[in-house]
Structures are given as C-alpha cells and as structure tokens.
Amino acid sequence: MATVRICVCGDEGTGKSSLITSLVKDTFVSAKIQPTLPQVTIPPSIGTPENVTTTVVDTSALPQERSNLNKEIRNSNVILLVYSDHYSYERVGLFWMPHFRSLGVNVPVVLCANKSDLTGGAATTAQVVEDEMLPLMAEFKELDSCIRTSARDHYNINEAFFLCQKAVTYPIAPLFDSKEGILKPAAVTALQRIFWQCDKDQDGYLSDQEVNAFQSKCFGKPLAAGDLDNIKESISAILSDSVTEKGIAEVGFVLLNKLFAEKGRHETVWIILRTFHYSDSLSLKESFLHPKFDVPPNASAELSPAGYQFLFDLFLLFDKDNDGGLNDSELAALFKPTPGLPSSWIDTDFPSSTVRNEAGHITLQGWLAQWSMTTFTEPKSTLAYLAYLGFEPSDSRLTTASALKVTKPRKRRKRLGKVDRNVVLAYIVGAPGAGKSAVLDALLSRQFSPTYHPTIKPRTAVNGVELPGGKQVYLILEELGELEPAILENKARLDACDMFIYAYDSSDADSFAHAVSLRSKYPHLEEVPGLFVALKADNDKANQRTELQPDEYTAQIGMNKPLHVSATWRSASELFVQIAEAALAPSTAFLKTEEEAVDPTNVYIALGAVVCAGAAFIAIWRKVSKE
C-alpha cells in the first residue's frame, strides 16, 4: 500500500483542525486557523509503518458540507473520529458510527478523546478508557483503537496519527476476534505453517537456535540475552506444557502471537506474516506461489540441482523411521503446510504411479521421479508446492523459480542431433490386451500379473532410467485408455509427447492391425518419433492378419524393426533404455524417406567449401608458376 488516507471526522469544535496543525507544525498554534484545513500530505519518515505516504483530510460536520464529508469518508483508508466533551462523546454512538455504516464503508476507526488538558486532572486516562472508550469499542467492531490527546499540550498527537497508519498497514481485524478474544482461523493456519517451516528438524518444537534464526529472519537481529527466557515464561504461565526442554511447541508459538495481538502489538504479527509472504487476506501472495516462469514452445520444465536437493533433503527429513519410504503419516506430516497432495497426483493414483517399497510406500527414487513428472507436466504446480514447503533460494533476490530450469526448445525432430532433456514423455498405444499395462508395471519394477484388467482411464508411470555412460533420465510412460482417440486428436498433447510406443501382442494374430490402423487414421502421428514393440515375446509368435508382417511394414515405412519384449523377462528394462535413447535422439525413430536422406543445406555447404578450396588451389598454383 503506497498511501494511507486519513479522514478526520467529528463534531464542530472538537479540535480536528488543531490536531492536524499541531501534527504539521509540531507545536500548538494559538492563532485562529481556518475552519477546515486543506489536504495535507506527509512523506514517509523514520518510524512510518511500511514506509507509506500519509494523506490527512480535514472535514466539517456542518449540514451544508455533508456531501463533501461523505465523499471523503468513502475515499479514506481509516477514520480518526474526534470528540472532546460529553455531548460530542454521546454523538459518537448516536450519530457518527451509524452514519459510517449507512455509507457502506468498512474501514478501521480510531477513536480520539481530544482536549484532555481541559479536564483539569479530574479524570485519568485509565478512567476515560474504561468509562468512555471500552463500551463503544465493545459495541462497534469498526473501532480499531483509542487514544487520549491534547493539541494545546501537544500530547499524543504523533501517536494518534501513528495509530491511524498502523490500523491500515497492520490491521487487527483479519487477525483477532475481539469479541471472542481469539485469533481468527486463517491467522492460526498461517502461523502454524510458519512454525512448521521454522521447525527445521521437525521435532515439533522450536529450539533456542531455531527461535533465534526465526527472529533474525523476521526482524534482522537475534533476541537479546534474557528475552527468550521472558518469552518462555510468558507462554508457560498460560500453557505450562507448551514449553519444554526441547523448546516452544506449536500451540505455544500461536499463543505468543495471540498475546501480541491482545496487547496491541499486532504489527509484530504482521511483520512475521509478511516475512513469510502472506498478504493482507492471510493467503500466500500470488507472486510468491506463482512467480514468472515461462516455458517456450517445444521446450520443457525440469527441476534444477537446487530443486532436486531440496526435495531430496525433504524426503530424508520426514522419513522418521528410516525405512526408505514415506508412509501415510509421514506424507501427511510433510504435506501439512500445503492444500494436500497435488490434484495431478490424485488423478494419477499416487503413489501407484511411481516406485514403492514392499510395504507400498513411496521410495526416494519414486519421490524424485514423481516431482520430475509434475514439473514436466505442471511446472506452476511444482512452483506453488515448493513455496508451500518452504524452498528458499540461495540468493534472496531470486524466487522459487530458481528451483526449476527450462530446457532448450526441440528443433525439427527429423533433423540429426540430440535433445537436451532429463525428463521425457512417451505414450504407449495398442490393441486391448496387448500388454501395455504390464510394460508400465515393468517400468516400476512391479511383479508381473497374468490377470487382465482393462485400462479405462489414462494411467501413468514414471521412473528413472540409467543410460549407457551413467546419465539418468526420468521416463514418463502413459497408457491412454478409453481417451486414446481424444488424445490422438489433441495437438497440444502430441506436441508435449517425445515418443510413441506402438505395442502389439506378438502371439495374437489380430493385435498388430490396431497399430497400423492408428497410423492410417491419424496420419499426423508420423510427425512424432515412434517405436514398434512386440510384447509377450515369451509366447509362440503368430503371423499377423495384416497385408504386411510387422518387420515388412516397418521396413516399408523406413522405421526400425519391432523390439521383441516380454514383461516377464529381466531384460525388459532394456526396452526403457531404448525408449529414452530414441526420445533424446528423435531422428533415429523417424521413418526415413529419400527426400529426407540428404539435407540440401549440408550439400550446399559442402559444395561451397569445395569451390572455395579449388579456387584457392588455382590461385596458389598460378603464383608458383610465375615465380
């Protein structure tokens, strides 16, 4: 917020203009001043909350000025409501507060008892607060705070306008329910996430070291000696079991912030919330959850080394039983500060979409593979969850986008060359019963099951594949199910795909015809690299009821012969290596025509080089001959 606009209201003669003049001049002006002062703008200064510019608007309560008064009230961020005697005090509840409500404004109101110098010491500030202000604050929730002032004595002038600034920059209403005396649910949820993020060892307590790290992050310096002990005493005096030798428990941390709000120190709570990227609505800022991150056409998003390291450390931190897998309770604890599992994980039936241990719990390999797939398909989702989970860039000037990287865009797929990617996507298509699901199970190192279960909705599997030379590539393999026709007609889905696997049952005479008909029905599939795979190779081979047998068909269209594989063979893993290698060198998986056999550009370059070399040779020969 760049500007705080304060509308000073109240009955005539309550000293509104004198308050403003005393603020500007820093002293009381005894000379007569005009009834309504012009607008005053005060630039930011040391101590100004959130470094805002403040505009102060004087108003008149005269009936003929009512339209201008209403206009200024509607344009304000906060109202300073001034009274100075019993009559003007009674008017606060009988006229002014109902009038603000009638205008439909919902801004904080700071109640100001002015001209305290005229009471002659008859009433103390505590008495005024108890007898006059607290009853009004109990009746009208819009009243944010109250203060007693004197323009003549220059008493609490700066403080009154500071309260107005604070009411806007550090509003109490989103944080604290004054009627119930409790923090509001959204504030509690935000503070619980902050506690989770600061509890670096995830033992359920903030140790002294973690508290000081939190203090330094929010306020730029650690706690002074003895301050931490005082804080612990304040908490344990109310909740004795919330402070132990291990540190401050979550309930104690939330209680501490409740005490801040109760005592009027809600700016402390807001500084904490804004340090951790919360907006005034107590939701994480959109710019924090979704920083600018664009993926050009034909490029893809992947985790950077920093992103992989963060997720690697996160897995180890929450694998409390050190069994190499995250069980349901460990996953629940890990995703506590988030909205839950990403929706795409639920859609892909996580954790069955990736590698699990014998107990059915996701392993570290499966954890990194799952996030690699999420980043590839939905980079914005990964960015949001990295923000929820507390990823912190190495440089404060960077955003969570530093946990991701963008690959180089793919060039024409039929051109020779490598694709610089670590994550590739392949669609596997084929006739029902061809064995596609068994291939996905084999990718996840699952035991082969002879029971046939038709795939209705798309099914996805992801795992790491180690290539010759040691490079690891994450292979996403998707079986399209009954959505196969819709996906094959979706250009965006095909553009995202790196490889098509045409699978058929080599022991079923009618299986190969499905792959042939697909390429005939969807000729644009020729634009996507592809491999033919003959599955169930452990069974007797059957002649296919097609015009050409598979080897003849692939030879005719200039593609490699089908790979013969069985999901029951240990060597089935070699299939995934060949898929990944073909995806990274797509020209090897295309049909080769005579027109594409020779690149005319290369011919022209070679011909030009020959001509230049010949001309140079002739010139040198002539020079030597003359000599």
Short mmCIF file of all heavy atoms in Angstrom, two decimals, residues 145-181:
data_model
loop_
_atom_site.label_atom_id
_atom_site.label_comp_id
_atom_site.label_asym_id
_atom_site.label_seq_id
_atom_site.Cartn_x
_atom_site.Cartn_y
_atom_site.Cartn_z
N SER A 145 -8.86 1.17 17.64
CA SER A 145 -8.08 1.54 18.81
C SER A 145 -8.58 2.88 19.33
O SER A 145 -9.41 3.54 18.69
CB SER A 145 -6.58 1.60 18.47
OG SER A 145 -6.36 2.46 17.38
N CYS A 146 -8.08 3.28 20.48
CA CYS A 146 -8.49 4.56 21.06
C CYS A 146 -7.29 5.25 21.69
O CYS A 146 -6.31 4.59 22.09
CB CYS A 146 -9.60 4.34 22.09
SG CYS A 146 -9.14 3.20 23.40
N ILE A 147 -7.37 6.58 21.80
CA ILE A 147 -6.26 7.34 22.35
C ILE A 147 -6.78 8.67 22.90
O ILE A 147 -7.80 9.20 22.43
CB ILE A 147 -5.17 7.59 21.27
CG1 ILE A 147 -3.90 8.16 21.90
CG2 ILE A 147 -5.70 8.50 20.16
CD1 ILE A 147 -2.71 8.17 20.95
N ARG A 148 -6.11 9.18 23.90
CA ARG A 148 -6.46 10.48 24.52
C ARG A 148 -5.39 11.48 24.12
O ARG A 148 -4.19 11.21 24.26
CB ARG A 148 -6.51 10.32 26.03
CG ARG A 148 -7.26 11.42 26.75
CD ARG A 148 -7.35 11.10 28.21
NE ARG A 148 -8.10 12.12 28.93
CZ ARG A 148 -7.84 12.50 30.17
NH1 ARG A 148 -6.83 11.93 30.82
NH2 ARG A 148 -8.58 13.41 30.77
N THR A 149 -5.80 12.67 23.63
CA THR A 149 -4.84 13.65 23.11
C THR A 149 -5.14 15.05 23.62
O THR A 149 -6.21 15.32 24.18
CB THR A 149 -4.89 13.69 21.57
OG1 THR A 149 -6.20 14.13 21.16
CG2 THR A 149 -4.59 12.33 20.96
N SER A 150 -4.17 15.94 23.36
CA SER A 150 -4.35 17.38 23.60
C SER A 150 -3.51 18.12 22.59
O SER A 150 -2.27 18.01 22.58
CB SER A 150 -3.92 17.76 25.02
OG SER A 150 -3.88 19.17 25.16
N ALA A 151 -4.18 18.88 21.71
CA ALA A 151 -3.44 19.68 20.74
C ALA A 151 -2.69 20.81 21.44
O ALA A 151 -1.56 21.15 21.07
CB ALA A 151 -4.40 20.25 19.70
N ARG A 152 -3.29 21.40 22.50
CA ARG A 152 -2.65 22.52 23.21
C ARG A 152 -1.35 22.07 23.86
O ARG A 152 -0.34 22.77 23.81
CB ARG A 152 -3.60 23.09 24.26
CG ARG A 152 -3.04 24.29 25.03
CD ARG A 152 -4.05 24.83 26.02
NE ARG A 152 -5.21 25.37 25.33
CZ ARG A 152 -5.27 26.60 24.81
NH1 ARG A 152 -4.22 27.40 24.90
NH2 ARG A 152 -6.37 27.02 24.21
N ASP A 153 -1.37 20.89 24.50
CA ASP A 153 -0.17 20.39 25.18
C ASP A 153 0.71 19.53 24.27
O ASP A 153 1.74 19.01 24.72
CB ASP A 153 -0.57 19.56 26.40
CG ASP A 153 -1.25 20.40 27.46
OD1 ASP A 153 -1.14 21.63 27.41
OD2 ASP A 153 -1.91 19.81 28.34
N HIS A 154 0.30 19.41 23.03
CA HIS A 154 0.99 18.55 22.06
C HIS A 154 1.20 17.16 22.64
O HIS A 154 2.27 16.55 22.59
CB HIS A 154 2.34 19.16 21.65
CG HIS A 154 2.88 18.57 20.36
ND1 HIS A 154 2.32 18.83 19.13
CD2 HIS A 154 3.93 17.74 20.11
CE1 HIS A 154 2.98 18.19 18.19
NE2 HIS A 154 3.97 17.52 18.77
N TYR A 155 0.10 16.62 23.18
CA TYR A 155 0.12 15.33 23.88
C TYR A 155 -0.49 14.25 22.99
O TYR A 155 -1.64 14.34 22.58
CB TYR A 155 -0.66 15.46 25.20
CG TYR A 155 -0.90 14.17 25.92
CD1 TYR A 155 0.16 13.42 26.44
CD2 TYR A 155 -2.20 13.68 26.10
CE1 TYR A 155 -0.07 12.23 27.11
CE2 TYR A 155 -2.44 12.50 26.78
CZ TYR A 155 -1.37 11.78 27.28
OH TYR A 155 -1.60 10.60 27.94
N ASN A 156 0.32 13.25 22.68
CA ASN A 156 -0.11 12.08 21.89
C ASN A 156 -0.58 12.45 20.47
O ASN A 156 -1.37 11.70 19.88
CB ASN A 156 -1.25 11.33 22.60
CG ASN A 156 -0.72 10.35 23.62
OD1 ASN A 156 0.47 10.07 23.67
ND2 ASN A 156 -1.60 9.82 24.46
N ILE A 157 -0.09 13.54 19.94
CA ILE A 157 -0.51 13.94 18.58
C ILE A 157 0.07 12.96 17.54
O ILE A 157 -0.66 12.38 16.74
CB ILE A 157 -0.07 15.38 18.26
CG1 ILE A 157 -0.66 16.36 19.29
CG2 ILE A 157 -0.50 15.77 16.84
CD1 ILE A 157 -2.16 16.34 19.37
N ASN A 158 1.39 12.82 17.57
CA ASN A 158 2.01 11.90 16.62
C ASN A 158 1.49 10.48 16.81
O ASN A 158 1.28 9.74 15.85
CB ASN A 158 3.53 11.92 16.78
CG ASN A 158 4.15 13.24 16.34
OD1 ASN A 158 3.49 14.04 15.69
ND2 ASN A 158 5.39 13.46 16.71
N GLU A 159 1.27 10.10 18.08
CA GLU A 159 0.79 8.76 18.38
C GLU A 159 -0.60 8.51 17.79
O GLU A 159 -0.89 7.40 17.33
CB GLU A 159 0.76 8.53 19.90
CG GLU A 159 2.13 8.41 20.55
CD GLU A 159 2.82 9.75 20.75
OE1 GLU A 159 2.24 10.79 20.39
OE2 GLU A 159 3.95 9.76 21.28
N ALA A 160 -1.45 9.53 17.80
CA ALA A 160 -2.81 9.36 17.26
C ALA A 160 -2.77 9.06 15.77
O ALA A 160 -3.46 8.15 15.28
CB ALA A 160 -3.64 10.62 17.52
N PHE A 161 -1.94 9.79 15.04
CA PHE A 161 -1.86 9.56 13.60
C PHE A 161 -1.08 8.28 13.28
O PHE A 161 -1.33 7.63 12.27
CB PHE A 161 -1.25 10.78 12.91
CG PHE A 161 -2.19 11.95 12.86
CD1 PHE A 161 -2.16 12.92 13.85
CD2 PHE A 161 -3.14 12.07 11.86
CE1 PHE A 161 -3.05 13.99 13.82
CE2 PHE A 161 -4.03 13.13 11.81
CZ PHE A 161 -3.98 14.09 12.82
N PHE A 162 -0.14 7.93 14.18
CA PHE A 162 0.55 6.65 14.01
C PHE A 162 -0.44 5.48 14.15
O PHE A 162 -0.35 4.50 13.40
CB PHE A 162 1.67 6.51 15.04
CG PHE A 162 2.37 5.18 14.99
CD1 PHE A 162 3.33 4.93 14.02
CD2 PHE A 162 2.08 4.19 15.91
CE1 PHE A 162 3.98 3.69 13.96
CE2 PHE A 162 2.71 2.95 15.85
CZ PHE A 162 3.67 2.71 14.88
N LEU A 163 -1.38 5.60 15.10
CA LEU A 163 -2.40 4.56 15.24
C LEU A 163 -3.24 4.44 13.97
O LEU A 163 -3.63 3.33 13.58
CB LEU A 163 -3.30 4.88 16.43
CG LEU A 163 -2.73 4.60 17.82
CD1 LEU A 163 -3.74 5.03 18.89
CD2 LEU A 163 -2.39 3.14 18.00
N CYS A 164 -3.50 5.58 13.33
CA CYS A 164 -4.26 5.54 12.07
C CYS A 164 -3.46 4.82 10.99
O CYS A 164 -4.00 3.99 10.24
CB CYS A 164 -4.60 6.96 11.62
SG CYS A 164 -5.78 7.81 12.68
N GLN A 165 -2.17 5.15 10.90
CA GLN A 165 -1.32 4.47 9.92
C GLN A 165 -1.27 2.97 10.20
O GLN A 165 -1.38 2.14 9.29
CB GLN A 165 0.09 5.05 9.95
CG GLN A 165 0.20 6.49 9.49
CD GLN A 165 1.58 7.07 9.75
OE1 GLN A 165 2.23 6.74 10.73
NE2 GLN A 165 2.02 7.97 8.88
N LYS A 166 -1.11 2.64 11.47
CA LYS A 166 -0.99 1.23 11.86
C LYS A 166 -2.28 0.47 11.61
O LYS A 166 -2.26 -0.72 11.27
CB LYS A 166 -0.59 1.14 13.33
CG LYS A 166 -0.05 -0.21 13.71
CD LYS A 166 0.60 -0.20 15.10
CE LYS A 166 -0.45 -0.24 16.17
NZ LYS A 166 0.12 -0.57 17.49
N ALA A 167 -3.43 1.15 11.78
CA ALA A 167 -4.71 0.49 11.57
C ALA A 167 -4.88 0.04 10.12
O ALA A 167 -5.59 -0.93 9.83
CB ALA A 167 -5.86 1.42 11.95
N VAL A 168 -4.19 0.73 9.20
CA VAL A 168 -4.27 0.38 7.78
C VAL A 168 -3.17 -0.61 7.40
O VAL A 168 -3.42 -1.62 6.74
CB VAL A 168 -4.18 1.64 6.90
CG1 VAL A 168 -4.20 1.27 5.42
CG2 VAL A 168 -5.32 2.58 7.22
N THR A 169 -1.95 -0.31 7.82
CA THR A 169 -0.82 -1.15 7.41
C THR A 169 -0.75 -2.44 8.22
O THR A 169 -0.27 -3.46 7.71
CB THR A 169 0.50 -0.39 7.56
OG1 THR A 169 0.61 0.10 8.91
CG2 THR A 169 0.55 0.79 6.61
N TYR A 170 -1.22 -2.41 9.47
CA TYR A 170 -1.23 -3.61 10.30
C TYR A 170 -2.64 -3.80 10.88
O TYR A 170 -2.85 -3.66 12.08
CB TYR A 170 -0.23 -3.49 11.45
CG TYR A 170 1.19 -3.19 11.02
CD1 TYR A 170 1.87 -2.09 11.53
CD2 TYR A 170 1.84 -4.02 10.11
CE1 TYR A 170 3.17 -1.83 11.15
CE2 TYR A 170 3.14 -3.76 9.73
CZ TYR A 170 3.81 -2.66 10.25
OH TYR A 170 5.09 -2.40 9.87
N PRO A 171 -3.60 -4.13 10.06
CA PRO A 171 -4.99 -4.22 10.56
C PRO A 171 -5.17 -5.36 11.56
O PRO A 171 -4.63 -6.46 11.38
CB PRO A 171 -5.80 -4.45 9.28
CG PRO A 171 -4.83 -5.08 8.33
CD PRO A 171 -3.50 -4.47 8.63
N ILE A 172 -5.92 -5.09 12.59
CA ILE A 172 -6.17 -6.11 13.62
C ILE A 172 -7.31 -7.04 13.23
O ILE A 172 -7.34 -8.21 13.61
CB ILE A 172 -6.47 -5.43 14.99
CG1 ILE A 172 -6.58 -6.47 16.11
CG2 ILE A 172 -7.74 -4.60 14.90
CD1 ILE A 172 -5.32 -7.20 16.41
N ALA A 173 -8.25 -6.53 12.43
CA ALA A 173 -9.47 -7.30 12.13
C ALA A 173 -9.20 -8.66 11.49
O ALA A 173 -9.83 -9.66 11.86
CB ALA A 173 -10.40 -6.47 11.24
N PRO A 174 -8.27 -8.78 10.51
CA PRO A 174 -8.05 -10.12 9.93
C PRO A 174 -7.41 -11.10 10.90
O PRO A 174 -7.49 -12.31 10.69
CB PRO A 174 -7.11 -9.83 8.74
CG PRO A 174 -7.22 -8.37 8.48
CD PRO A 174 -7.50 -7.75 9.80
N LEU A 175 -6.76 -10.57 11.95
CA LEU A 175 -6.01 -11.43 12.86
C LEU A 175 -6.80 -11.89 14.07
O LEU A 175 -6.73 -13.06 14.47
CB LEU A 175 -4.75 -10.69 13.37
CG LEU A 175 -3.72 -10.22 12.36
CD1 LEU A 175 -2.61 -9.49 13.09
CD2 LEU A 175 -3.17 -11.38 11.57
N PHE A 176 -7.54 -10.97 14.67
CA PHE A 176 -8.04 -11.19 16.03
C PHE A 176 -9.53 -10.92 16.11
O PHE A 176 -10.03 -9.91 15.61
CB PHE A 176 -7.28 -10.27 16.99
CG PHE A 176 -7.47 -10.59 18.44
CD1 PHE A 176 -6.95 -11.74 18.99
CD2 PHE A 176 -8.20 -9.73 19.25
CE1 PHE A 176 -7.12 -12.03 20.34
CE2 PHE A 176 -8.37 -10.01 20.59
CZ PHE A 176 -7.82 -11.16 21.15
N ASP A 177 -10.24 -11.85 16.76
CA ASP A 177 -11.67 -11.68 17.04
C ASP A 177 -11.78 -11.08 18.44
O ASP A 177 -11.64 -11.78 19.44
CB ASP A 177 -12.38 -13.03 16.97
CG ASP A 177 -13.89 -12.91 17.07
OD1 ASP A 177 -14.36 -11.93 17.69
OD2 ASP A 177 -14.60 -13.78 16.54
N SER A 178 -12.02 -9.77 18.50
CA SER A 178 -12.01 -9.08 19.79
C SER A 178 -13.17 -9.52 20.68
O SER A 178 -13.04 -9.53 21.91
CB SER A 178 -12.07 -7.57 19.56
OG SER A 178 -13.19 -7.22 18.78
N LYS A 179 -14.28 -9.90 20.07
CA LYS A 179 -15.43 -10.34 20.89
C LYS A 179 -15.15 -11.68 21.56
O LYS A 179 -15.49 -11.89 22.73
CB LYS A 179 -16.69 -10.43 20.02
CG LYS A 179 -17.23 -9.07 19.60
CD LYS A 179 -18.55 -9.21 18.86
CE LYS A 179 -19.11 -7.84 18.49
NZ LYS A 179 -20.40 -7.94 17.76
N GLU A 180 -14.56 -12.60 20.81
CA GLU A 180 -14.26 -13.93 21.35
C GLU A 180 -12.91 -13.97 22.06
O GLU A 180 -12.63 -14.88 22.84
CB GLU A 180 -14.28 -14.98 20.24
CG GLU A 180 -15.62 -15.12 19.52
CD GLU A 180 -16.69 -15.68 20.43
OE1 GLU A 180 -16.34 -16.42 21.38
OE2 GLU A 180 -17.88 -15.38 20.20
N GLY A 181 -12.06 -12.98 21.76
CA GLY A 181 -10.74 -12.94 22.37
C GLY A 181 -9.80 -14.02 21.86
O GLY A 181 -8.94 -14.51 22.59
#
